[in-house]
Amino acid sequence: MAKDKKLVEAITSMDTDFAQWYTDVVKKAELIDYSSVKGCMVIKPAGYAIWENIQKELDRRFKETGVENVYMPMFIPESLLQKEKDHVEGFAPEVAWVTHGGLNPLQERMCVRPTSETLFCDFYANDIQSYRDLPKCYNQWCSVVRWEKETRPFLRSREFLWQEGHTAHATAEEAEERTIQMLNLYADFCEEVLAMPVIRGKKTDKEKFAGAEATYTIEALMHDGKALQSGTSHNFGDGFAKAFGIQYTDRDNKLQYVHQTSWGMTTRLIGAIIMVHGDDSGLVLPPRVAPLQVMVIPIQQHKEGVLERAEELKAMLAKAGIRVRLDDSEKSPGWKFSEQEMRGIPIRVELGPKDIEAGKCVLVRRDTREKIECTLDKVTETVEELLDNIQHAMYTRAKAHLESHISDVKSYAEFQDAVENKPGFIRAMWCGSEECEIKIKEDTTATSRCMPMKEEEAVADVCVCCGKPAHKLVYWGKAY
Amino acid sequence: MAKDKKLVEAITSMDTDFAQWYTDVVKKAELIDYSSVKGCMVIKPAGYAIWENIQKELDRRFKETGVENVYMPMFIPESLLQKEKDHVEGFAPEVAWVTHGGLNPLQERMCVRPTSETLFCDFYANDIQSYRDLPKCYNQWCSVVRWEKETRPFLRSREFLWQEGHTAHATAEEAEERTIQMLNLYADFCEEVLAMPVIRGKKTDKEKFAGAEATYTIEALMHDGKALQSGTSHNFGDGFAKAFGIQYTDRDNKLQYVHQTSWGMTTRLIGAIIMVHGDDSGLVLPPRVAPLQVMVIPIQQHKEGVLERAEELKAMLAKAGIRVRLDDSEKSPGWKFSEQEMRGIPIRVELGPKDIEAGKCVLVRRDTREKIECTLDKVTETVEELLDNIQHAMYTRAKAHLESHISDVKSYAEFQDAVENKPGFIRAMWCGSEECEIKIKEDTTATSRCMPMKEEEAVADVCVCCGKPAHKLVYWGKAY
């Protein structure tokens, strides 16, 4: 009973309180639950199944580019973490420390990995000897820990799931190529699978990863106009190689340092899917990443033949490779509809005695709620086509939302006005000084998201902050 | 150069020093590397790819039985670990403790999960309310940490990868059914996929899992005659439910405790594959779990047309769904042969100018080294058939090895003689007292492995240790 009550409560409307709407969806679509471990979440079946689909598709794409999976220890001895100066400064304040093993104190404390550059470097230092050993393109799927003060499900959690790729190359050019290749792979994945358009760009020095020479990012725009960094790819140059002594003998038998990259995507993507596509009835999942694509919901299921025909319909769709389930529970159809909507299942098929008599069924799109009548002999191809349409329509809508939420500003007053009144990205010129970047952040809470990789026309010729000559076009915005 | 030297060194022979042979294979087949974190290993691509195949197949089988995947936090607050008395006694001495988050000490220390019963129970206590919520059949793929003193790659490691299933049921019968179902699933998986016969049995009370009412196990026999516990399935009854207050209202609106199970398999299985099938040339992988099933090795590859034909051959096999690679590196064919053998790739295809002229190639089985000539137009079906033959032959050989290494003993003198002189399992009667079990272990180092689930004829009618009447048939053995 307690359960039933929970479900009929409407979720908060997005327009009323976006943050509360997000929390409601995450809970009521049964993606996560809070745990007794502060700042850590339980990822429930409906949430984990989305992650499994993300993994499957990303992993396939990685392997097509020659990436191999490995597994490194989850602990990093303190001395190892300290080998690269910028890196330790960036991460040491937010790691969890293991000090005891069983009943005894450890000789050296270890942190739970916040990221594994140091472990991969330590490994590469032994494993790489000759140019024949290069490139190394390794990836691992694991969880990492960052001791955040404020946490939100999927977006910022003390423990989260991710993949981290770590590569080593003979030349700087090759490392840069791999960095860009993986960023593009991430962007294509977001656009093609998650129906989520992104801005591909480079981070400013201030915002780059601790220890990196350059960080590239994809930035997505959430429904409330805030940006979400959705994947990053770092070029380390030979900085880590020098700190860890990762050298190889080249074809001329000379010792050279390797050049490295790393790149990662996380369960944060599930938060992005929610905030890009969701609506006031709950989750809306793009068909390609939806664990369930179709829910068959029988009407008057107690009447003779209804459940049998619904079962047949389900079997037919399943046979065509569509991820489908039949809801033959004892709840009312209306209840089942709102559950299917809350969970974001792209299509529901309604089938009752009258439909069966007329040799048809009704398909309802989750994204637009459009109803489509369909004769029973055409269901499979209609559903397949509809899934495709939904996938593309969702991308098109998200793209239109992104494009209509970019403000070009020339003056600081315009900038401040945009931050206040125009949710979305702000395109403005920047002189390149960290002072201006800090001032903007302090004055407005907007941060530099990225400098776009695609050539874009300059908005002005002076810095939006200090007025000095400026050549750098930057996307700014409030961000998660 | 250092690398080349490593490879030509022969590995230690199994008969000379089995433990050293194991270590050599693990290193030279490039399955793992040692890491800077004592007792933890780096799982390299060749090792991790085996684990990926194990995961894929087990996960498919789990899901067929209605299991759903989830993810729980990796940390357990100390107070949560302490809720079930036997459980905390079993695990507290070997956990790693996190005491600091970032720069601050934690209010309550947490351990890194050695297993997640307590986290699942904590979750179920909130998530389960009514009989409609049951059963819950959840599983997670993750790593766990146990602070072992002595470690060996795959077999005993401070951190290892595994899956842990945790289910909750309305009745004791249903929980027992699930416990047995998963044990049989494990056994079938080992036999069908890993070509590894196992004894299915129940653990004695002394050997059961901390907090369980009953533990079932599958025990495999390694080439050196030692047993390896390869998977376990536990029935908790309502013990954890009472400790954690996991109750549901039944159909009559009465409060009842749930009945729970858990079951796990680990990267230890990779150790089992090595020690059941390996030989003095290295790893021998069963085709169904082998990341690469066929290596095409061209002979005189610099001659015109050889590489092209080899490439065609590879493409043809790949098209048929066979996992195949072409070794077109600049090493000599002999070198490539021993690499392929070391890595345990089930079949190599040799193809040189003379073969091409004759319209044939040579297939060489890794398990028996048998050479099979095959016309090029028949390669795909011949390889497919051969992979099947190898899979079955490997199982048959391992089964014969197991069966020929079981000693039935009636007296304590026979028992002691068998432990000394007859590697393998010892079948002997036991009165059921822990004293006898302890005495046997202290006198001989052999432990009770399991009481077989399949009905087997009694070896005698008195306990092999104390001579009192005994009805329990036990498999004993030295174990990893």
Side-chain angles (χ1 to χ4, degrees), chain A residues 3 36-37 43-44 52 63 69-71 73-75 93 95-100 102 122 127 133 138 143 159, chain B residues 3 36-37 43-45 52 63 69-71 73-75 93 95-100 102 122 127 133 143 159:
Chain A
K3 202 145 193 195
S36 291
V37 189
I43 309 183
K44 295 174 77 172
E52 285 183 302
K63 283 176 178 159
N69 285 336
V70 298
Y71 188 77
M74 71 151 82
F75 299 121
V95 296
W97 290 105
V98 174
T99 56
H100 287 70
D122 187 45
D127 204 51
D133 300 326
Y138 289 168
S143 78
E159 180 187 7
Chain B
K3 200 142 198 203
S36 292
V37 188
I43 308 182
K44 295 174 77 172
E52 285 182 303
K63 284 177 177 157
N69 285 336
V70 299
Y71 188 77
M74 71 152 81
F75 299 120
V95 296
W97 290 106
V98 175
T99 56
H100 287 70
D122 188 45
D127 205 51
D133 299 328
S143 78
E159 180 188 6

Side-chain angles (χ1 to χ4, degrees), chain B residues 316-328:
Chain B
M316 200 165 63
L317 293 173
K319 211 179 146 192
I322 294 161
R323 300 189 286 271
V324 56
R325 208 173 283 171
L326 166 65
D327 187 350
D328 57 1

Side-chain angles (χ1 to χ4, degrees), chain A residues 86 294 449:
Chain A
D86 292 335
V294 175
R449 305 314 310 154

Side-chain angles (χ1 to χ4, degrees), chain B residues 204-255:
Chain B
T204 61
D205 280 353
K206 178 178 174 302
E207 297 288 332
K208 72 186 185 189
F209 182 82
E213 251 180 26
T215 289
Y216 297 89
T217 178
I218 50 174
E219 301 280 325
L221 195 68
M222 304 299 102
H223 199 86
D224 63 346
K226 277 198 192 167
L228 187 82
Q229 177 180 305
S230 304
T232 48
S233 186
H234 317 290
N235 186 344
F236 292 121
D238 57 7
F240 275 93
K242 284 182 172 161
F244 283 81
I246 314 174
Q247 289 182 295
Y248 70 96
T249 48
D250 67 12
R251 284 172 192 269
D252 303 325
N253 221 23
K254 278 192 195 137
L255 268 182

Side-chain angles (χ1 to χ4, degrees), chain A residues 1-3 33 35-37 40-45 48 52 59 63 68-75 77 80 92-103 106 109-110 112-113 119 122-123 127 129 132-133 136 138 141 143 145 147 159 161 325, chain B residues 1-3 33 35-37 40-45 48 52 59 63 68-75 77 80 92-103 106 109-110 112-113 119 122-123 127 129 132-133 136 138 141 143 145 147 159 161 325:
Chain A
M1 286 300 104
K3 202 145 193 195
D33 211 338
S35 78
S36 291
V37 189
C40 294
M41 58 187 170
V42 172
I43 309 183
K44 295 174 77 172
Y48 198 81
E52 285 183 302
D59 199 68
K63 283 176 178 159
E68 296 178 295
N69 285 336
V70 298
Y71 188 77
M72 293 283 154
M74 71 151 82
F75 299 121
L80 202 59
E94 57 173 38
V95 296
W97 290 105
V98 174
T99 56
H100 287 70
L103 307 171
L106 299 179
R109 66 179 186 162
M110 307 176 307
V112 180
R113 65 182 159 221
L119 292 164
D122 187 45
F123 170 68
D127 204 51
Q129 277 139 28
R132 287 189 211 90
D133 300 326
K136 292 278 184 204
Y138 289 168
W141 292 94
S143 78
V145 169
W147 217 250
E159 180 187 7
L161 302 180
R325 206 173 285 171
Chain B
M1 284 300 104
K3 200 142 198 203
D33 211 338
S35 77
S36 292
V37 188
C40 294
M41 57 186 171
V42 173
I43 308 182
K44 295 174 77 172
Y48 197 80
E52 285 182 303
D59 198 69
K63 284 177 177 157
E68 298 179 293
N69 285 336
V70 299
Y71 188 77
M72 292 284 153
M74 71 152 81
F75 299 120
L80 202 58
E94 56 173 39
V95 296
W97 290 106
V98 175
T99 56
H100 287 70
L103 307 171
L106 299 180
R109 65 179 188 163
M110 305 175 309
V112 180
R113 64 182 159 221
L119 292 164
D122 188 45
F123 170 68
D127 205 51
Q129 276 140 26
R132 289 189 209 90
D133 299 328
K136 291 280 185 201
Y138 289 169
W141 292 95
S143 78
V145 169
W147 217 249
E159 180 188 6
L161 302 180
R325 208 173 283 171

Side-chain angles (χ1 to χ4, degrees), chain B residues 341-397:
Chain B
E341 289 177 358
M342 182 69 76
R343 290 172 164 269
I345 300 164
I347 297 174
R348 81 167 168 257
V349 180
E350 304 175 4
L351 183 75
K354 282 183 199 157
D355 299 308
I356 293 170
E357 220 176 84
K360 63 173 191 59
C361 63
V362 178
L363 313 181
V364 186
R365 283 174 72 144
R366 172 64 184 91
D367 63 332
T368 59
R369 292 206 165 70
E370 187 192 348
K371 292 191 173 204
I372 296 120
E373 286 212 344
C374 170
T375 58
L376 287 172
D377 58 334
K378 291 257 165 63
V379 173
T380 306
E381 54 261 52
T382 310
V383 165
E384 279 171 344
E385 215 174 281
L386 201 52
L387 288 171
D388 241 36
N389 287 349
I390 294 172
Q391 181 79 31
H392 291 112
M394 287 178 72
Y395 178 72
T396 306
R397 271 194 304 276

Side-chain angles (χ1 to χ4, degrees), chain B residues 69-286:
Chain B
N69 285 336
V70 299
Y71 188 77
M72 292 284 153
M74 71 152 81
F75 299 120
I76 307 175
E78 188 163 20
S79 56
L80 202 58
L81 188 68
Q82 287 172 336
K83 277 203 174 180
E84 210 286 337
K85 203 183 114 289
D86 293 335
H87 191 70
V88 64
E89 276 175 17
F91 284 103
E94 56 173 39
V95 296
W97 290 106
V98 175
T99 56
H100 287 70
L103 307 171
N104 305 111
L106 299 180
Q107 289 196 320
E108 178 185 10
R109 65 179 188 163
M110 305 175 309
C111 72
V112 180
R113 64 182 159 221
T115 179
S116 306
E117 275 73 13
T118 53
L119 292 164
F120 275 90
C121 285
D122 188 45
F123 170 68
Y124 284 148
N126 290 313
D127 205 51
I128 295 172
Q129 276 140 26
S130 138
Y131 69 92
R132 289 189 209 90
D133 299 328
L134 296 173
K136 291 280 185 201
C137 299
Y138 289 169
N139 174 66
Q140 72 177 359
W141 292 95
C142 62
S143 78
V144 287
V145 169
R146 297 179 186 178
W147 217 249
E148 308 274 3
K149 295 219 168 61
E150 310 238 333
T151 61
R152 298 192 63 191
F154 296 122
L155 301 177
R156 198 170 288 281
S157 187
R158 286 187 171 172
E159 180 188 6
F160 57 87
L161 302 180
W162 80 346
Q163 60 65 217
E164 46 178 326
H166 297 267
T167 70
H169 306 269
T171 65
E173 295 69 37
E174 218 187 275
E176 177 69 6
E177 212 172 274
R178 172 59 74 168
T179 312
I180 304 293
Q181 177 184 28
M182 299 318 286
L183 191 85
N184 283 325
L185 187 155
Y186 285 162
D188 293 346
F189 169 79
C190 285
E191 303 192 339
E192 292 164 16
V193 180
L194 309 186
M196 183 170 91
V198 293
I199 308 287
R200 306 171 193 211
K202 193 174 176 177
K203 288 280 184 195
T204 61
D205 280 353
K206 178 178 174 302
E207 297 288 332
K208 72 186 185 189
F209 182 82
E213 251 180 26
T215 289
Y216 297 89
T217 178
I218 50 174
E219 301 280 325
L221 195 68
M222 304 299 102
H223 199 86
D224 63 346
K226 277 198 192 167
L228 187 82
Q229 177 180 305
S230 304
T232 48
S233 186
H234 317 290
N235 186 344
F236 292 121
D238 57 7
F240 275 93
K242 284 182 172 161
F244 283 81
I246 314 174
Q247 289 182 295
Y248 70 96
T249 48
D250 67 12
R251 284 172 192 269
D252 303 325
N253 221 23
K254 278 192 195 137
L255 268 182
Q256 305 281 2
Y257 285 106
V258 301
H259 290 74
Q260 292 173 270
T261 82
S262 84
W263 24 275
M265 269 194 163
T266 78
T267 33
R268 173 168 248 225
L269 286 174
I270 300 174
I273 295 170
I274 299 167
M275 291 196 290
V276 168
H277 300 299
D279 65 21
D280 280 349
S281 304
L283 202 55
V284 183
L285 289 173

